[in-house]
Amino acid sequence: MKQTLPFALTKDRSFFESLGDWMGDVLYDELPEKGFECRDEQIYMAYQIEKSLKNKNVLFAEAGVGTGKTIAYLLPAISYARYTGKPALISCADETLIDQLVKKEGDIQKLQDSLGWNIDVRLAKSRDQYLCLKRLEHEQKTNDEEFLEQIEDGIPDFVYGHQSLQSVYPYGERSAFPDVSDEDWQKVNYHPIQQCAVCDIRNRCGQTIHRQNYREAGDLIICSHDFLMEHIWTKESRVREGQMPLLPDVSMIVLDEGHLLEFAAQRALTYEVQSQTLVSLIDRVAQDGVREKTLQLLERLQDLHDDFFKELLTHAHGEEGERLHIDKTDRVLQLGQQLVKLVEQILEEFVFESELYTIDEYDLRMVEEYLEQYVFSLQLFVQNGDAVDWLEEKDGIETLVIMPRLVTDILNEKLFTNKLPVVFSSATLSVNKDFTYISDALGIDQYHSFSVPSPFDYDQVMQIFGHSVDSETKAKKARELLLQSNEPTLLLFKSKSDMVNFENSLSVEERMGMVFEGERELSSIVRDFQAGHIATLCSYHLWEGLDLPEEALTRVIIFDLPFPPHDPLFDAKRKFSNDPFAEVELPFMLLRLQQGIGRLIRTSADHGSIHLLLNDDEKQLSTDFTHILPVEISWV
């Protein structure tokens, strides 16, 4: 939807000169008159972004908590989108942060209400955030769980042809089913093995309708880092296959919480082989009428696949619930090589099966696509290249994951050298005002940067307490703190396993009033927490982006210093660094710790306390992190 510029253009002044004048009027006069605080740091950031748009470069915009970063980038972004005729892309760290940005009381809504704008903003969420009608139908045939009825009730009538297509509208987002647990959602959401291009109901699919909707955005498209990276990695191949890229052309990109982009880039280039997926796909094509030779090969594939995963599990080690190292024994590699040869044989046989039409076209296409990716993944696994691999449990299923160690070259080629303005926005992009850590990790050679502090007087509104505890008594100490006060508390863990262990230590009475990430859709949990329906929110993801002002959050308990895990991915980083602690572990921990502490004070009306639970080893590192704390730590 084409929108007009919020200011007039004249022949004697460029767009950027007019933009600068207009932003000054808005930030110094119009917004303060509507109750907004006028902050020098925010105004400085807005003008640095305006300069970045003019020069079409990469900008690291590090601005402390409370600066008003969102409004600082929205004003130039929306204006630039209307000037160029292409929407600006706002990429967030995850889906929860997207919902924070577009919620009714969020900054976009505030700008609309205050300036009388009609901002055309549309969401482009990751594909796994949408319902798959095919998987829902398959799940309904195999069980009758209650969550399936909840989802069925939320599907519009037009999906089943009860209304004309003129009444079609977007539906099927994860956030539309807040009471469905993450575990149940994974049974019916989009899965990479689905073949949308040959799906007979794709025109009524919620994901397809959402894609069509956001392509028409006039001002803003908001997506996650994961989806942006998937778009970048798949753009060329989709165009070659005659498909549209996942995202349309945009005028600029803002990377909100941009310090997390590296991990999203690596995830997007990840190849996965799951223990059960292949088995379920074989069942779909091993039908009556299929040639005996093909059936025998499929049966052999299933047995060999099972043997391969048994061997992987035997030689995998690490902390339960996390990424597991794999010892690549001769037997493991031999089974992998045999699988590659066998699958290549089966793909050749599928050529003959397709001519006989004994297998449903959709099912055959889906299995062929999966087997091609299966072969490619196993070839990477058995080769001694730069790929990093591990075993982990995903959605309750053992999964072999293969990921490239470095993404710098690809990012530099496809994102940072095409004269597209890219703005990294976060409170934590540097380590002591040095942006080397993030620029090296992303392969960015040329960039501009600035760092401005938070405008808050932290000494007046925040206290930080350091608690000396043994590792074995951390859970007990956390329970004691929660019993001392019923104030709204965010309890942050560095990993899912730590959170689960803490949950298992609670009695039924202690568990009351607490909600743990994963119980249901996360943004609905956050809304209930903000409304005061939950006393304690336990999470391992909400170190970034959570915005709960005033009395909605007055205490943050940090269970561990958030060092990166000892898993294959970070071990690869450590291996290729000169000083693993100084170059990998400490920068990661400092950035994440700053983010976690930053959840407490979001506005000038906020107040509260931070509690760090530190064992002896963590306390000995206090000289490495106390300098980044907003106030002096009090040891108790």
Side-chain angles (χ1 to χ4, degrees):
M1 184 186 301
K2 183 72 173 177
Q3 301 278 8
T4 59
L5 280 168
F7 51 86
L9 290 179
T10 60
K11 293 183 179 180
D12 59 333
R13 294 179 66 76
S14 70
F15 163 77
F16 294 104
E17 290 173 324
S18 300
L19 172 62
D21 291 344
W22 172 77
M23 288 197 308
D25 292 339
V26 170
L27 292 170
Y28 281 114
D29 298 323
E30 292 187 48
L31 290 181
E33 287 176 2
K34 299 296 175 71
F36 288 74
E37 296 181 42
C38 180
R39 297 168 179 164
D40 290 339
E41 297 88 354
Q42 180 186 56
I43 295 169
Y44 180 79
M45 177 175 175
Y47 279 101
Q48 290 300 307
I49 293 175
E50 179 260 332
K51 186 184 299 184
S52 180
L53 296 179
K54 184 178 181 179
N55 296 329
K56 294 183 172 57
N57 59 19
V58 175
L59 174 67
F60 290 126
E62 182 177 64
V65 174
T67 302
K69 294 185 287 294
T70 307
I71 289 178
Y73 68 63
L74 283 176
L75 292 176
I78 294 171
S79 301
Y80 194 61
R82 296 184 179 185
Y83 172 66
T84 60
K86 297 179 182 179
L89 182 71
I90 312 297
S91 179
C92 299
D94 57 35
E95 314 300 334
T96 305
L97 301 188
I98 293 176
D99 290 327
Q100 290 273 310
L101 191 58
V102 299
K103 63 185 180 181
K104 291 182 179 179
E105 63 274 22
D107 286 332
I108 292 177
Q109 187 63 49
K110 288 177 182 177
L111 276 184
Q112 288 199 127
D113 295 342
S114 301
L115 300 178
W117 279 12
N118 179 22
I119 301 175
D120 184 15
V121 53
R122 310 194 187 192
L123 306 186
K125 294 190 175 183
S126 297
R127 293 197 276 183
D128 62 3
Q129 293 294 306
Y130 296 103
L131 176 69
C132 174
L133 295 173
K134 286 285 190 181
R135 295 191 74 202
L136 174 64
E137 179 183 328
H138 180 74
E139 195 67 23
Q140 287 172 324
K141 291 178 180 178
T142 57
N143 70 63
D144 57 355
E145 295 182 55
E146 184 179 343
F147 83 92
L148 295 173
E149 292 185 16
Q150 296 178 34
I151 293 175
E152 182 73 29
D153 291 342
I155 297 177
D157 289 341
F158 69 77
V159 174
Y160 301 107
H162 299 155
Q163 294 177 353
S164 70
L165 288 178
Q166 291 180 342
S167 58
V168 167
Y169 54 86
Y171 75 96
E173 291 178 86
R174 171 69 177 103
S175 57
F177 308 102
D179 295 327
V180 176
S181 70
D182 287 352
E183 181 180 355
D184 286 335
W185 176 253
Q186 300 294 343
K187 300 173 184 176
V188 296
N189 65 339
Y190 168 83
H191 190 281
I193 66 171
Q194 303 307 120
Q195 292 302 302
C196 301
V198 294
C199 179
D200 57 340
I201 53 175
R202 61 186 179 276
N203 291 330
R204 296 178 186 270
C205 168
Q207 182 181 169
T208 301
I209 296 169
H210 273 278
R211 297 280 171 266
Q212 294 167 344
N213 179 63
Y214 71 64
R215 289 181 190 283
E216 300 171 359
D219 292 328
L220 301 174
I221 296 175
I222 304 179
C223 72
S224 66
H225 293 345
D226 284 343
F227 190 62
L228 171 60
M229 290 298 100
E230 185 180 2
H231 159 72
I232 288 174
W233 297 158
T234 63
K235 182 178 180 179
E236 292 179 0
S237 63
R238 289 178 70 88
V239 170
R240 282 197 304 269
E241 295 168 3
Q243 301 181 59
M244 298 181 71
L246 293 176
L247 289 166
D249 289 339
V250 296
S251 56
M252 66 169 296
I253 297 176
V254 176
L255 299 166
D256 203 331
E257 304 298 354
H259 61 287
L260 298 175
L261 185 69
E262 178 192 5
F263 305 106
Q266 289 172 315
R267 284 193 297 269
L269 277 177
T270 292
Y271 299 94
E272 296 181 359
V273 177
Q274 291 191 317
S275 60
Q276 294 181 15
T277 303
L278 180 65
V279 177
S280 63
L281 289 176
I282 289 175
D283 289 340
R284 297 182 75 151
V285 295
Q287 306 168 2
D288 291 339
V290 175
R291 294 176 308 131
E292 186 67 25
K293 181 179 181 181
T294 304
L295 289 174
Q296 290 176 351
L297 289 173
L298 289 173
E299 184 177 346
R300 184 181 166 203
L301 173 61
Q302 182 166 331
D303 292 339
L304 193 60
H305 175 82
D306 290 342
D307 291 342
F308 176 65
F309 265 90
K310 287 176 184 176
E311 200 71 17
L312 287 180
L313 287 168
T314 301
H315 296 283
H317 55 89
E319 188 175 350
E320 185 177 353
E322 303 296 333
R323 301 179 181 126
L324 303 180
H325 290 266
I326 300 170
D327 293 331
K328 292 186 179 181
T329 64
D330 291 341
R331 176 63 175 160
V332 167
L333 293 176
Q334 182 185 34
L335 288 170
Q337 291 162 351
Q338 290 176 3
L339 280 168
V340 169
K341 294 179 181 178
L342 180 56
V343 171
E344 288 174 342
Q345 281 183 267
I346 292 173
L347 287 171
E348 291 177 4
E349 296 304 319
F350 277 169
V351 175
F352 298 105
E353 298 297 341
S354 65
E355 296 173 353
L356 298 174
Y357 298 100
T358 54
I359 303 175
D360 178 81
E361 181 187 3
Y362 178 83
D363 288 344
L364 182 60
R365 179 79 174 268
M366 181 168 63
V367 175
E368 283 181 328
E369 186 86 10
Y370 178 78
L371 289 179
E372 288 170 359
Q373 182 259 316
Y374 183 93
V375 167
F376 183 77
S377 301
L378 288 184
Q379 285 173 333
L380 287 177
F381 177 75
V382 298
Q383 294 168 356
N384 291 319
D386 282 338
V388 181
D389 44 61
W390 64 85
L391 194 69
E392 68 174 280
E393 187 176 287
K394 284 196 171 186
D395 312 328
I397 302 173
E398 288 85 11
T399 305
L400 172 64
V401 182
I402 303 103
M403 176 184 287
R405 185 179 65 83
L406 294 175
V407 296
T408 52
D409 293 342
I410 304 175
L411 276 174
N412 195 32
E413 174 190 350
K414 296 182 181 293
L415 184 60
F416 299 125
T417 57
N418 59 4
K419 290 300 180 182
L420 184 73
V422 179
V423 177
F424 286 77
S425 171
S426 176
T428 54
L429 290 171
S430 72
V431 179
N432 295 328
K433 307 297 182 290
D434 183 352
F435 294 87
T436 303
Y437 178 70
I438 187 171
S439 61
D440 286 353
L442 296 173
I444 302 174
D445 300 322
Q446 301 293 325
Y447 62 88
H448 293 275
S449 64
F450 71 86
S451 182
V452 293
S454 170
F456 299 135
D457 185 355
Y458 283 105
D459 287 328
Q460 300 299 315
V461 296
M462 176 190 284
Q463 291 179 290
I464 299 181
F465 298 100
H467 301 269
S468 299
V469 290
D470 296 332
S471 297
E472 295 75 19
T473 58
K474 280 192 176 185
K476 179 181 178 181
K477 185 63 181 179
R479 295 195 299 269
E480 290 174 357
L481 289 171
L482 295 175
L483 286 172
Q484 288 174 10
S485 169
N486 199 37
E487 62 186 304
T489 301
L490 175 64
L491 183 48
L492 289 172
F493 299 86
K494 70 178 181 180
S495 68
K496 181 179 180 180
S497 62
D498 286 335
M499 185 187 76
V500 171
N501 290 336
F502 174 73
E503 182 180 9
N504 292 336
S505 75
L506 300 174
S507 65
V508 175
E509 293 78 11
E510 291 170 332
R511 183 70 167 73
M512 294 179 63
M514 302 176 69
V515 172
F516 288 78
E517 179 183 341
E519 288 183 20
R520 50 191 172 91
E521 196 267 332
L522 190 53
S523 62
S524 69
I525 294 177
V526 172
R527 285 194 297 270
D528 285 349
F529 183 68
Q530 185 168 4
H533 304 317
I534 300 168
T536 302
L537 170 55
C538 300
S539 174
Y540 58 97
H541 269 142
L542 294 176
W543 293 82
E544 293 93 6
L546 186 65
D547 191 3
L548 298 171
E550 300 185 30
E551 300 304 316
L553 177 64
T554 59
R555 181 171 58 182
V556 176
I557 300 175
I558 295 177
F559 199 83
D560 298 288
L561 290 181
F563 282 103
H566 282 279
D567 64 16
L569 177 59
F570 278 98
D571 282 351
K573 284 177 168 289
R574 295 178 180 101
K575 179 181 177 181
F576 288 92
S577 64
N578 294 320
D579 186 341
F581 181 78
E583 297 176 16
V584 178
E585 303 216 12
L586 187 60
F588 180 93
M589 186 276 288
L590 291 176
L591 291 174
R592 201 158 176 81
L593 180 61
Q594 286 177 276
Q595 284 286 342
I597 291 172
R599 298 313 97 215
L600 185 65
I601 306 299
R602 310 297 299 171
T603 73
S604 58
D606 293 356
H607 65 93
S609 59
I610 304 288
H611 297 263
L612 305 177
L613 308 187
L614 306 174
N615 60 32
D616 289 340
D617 291 338
E618 291 171 319
K619 189 174 180 180
Q620 288 178 9
L621 296 173
S622 59
T623 54
D624 291 312
F625 68 81
T626 50
H627 67 283
I628 59 108
L629 302 180
V631 300
E632 187 174 344
I633 190 169
S634 299
W635 295 100
V636 292

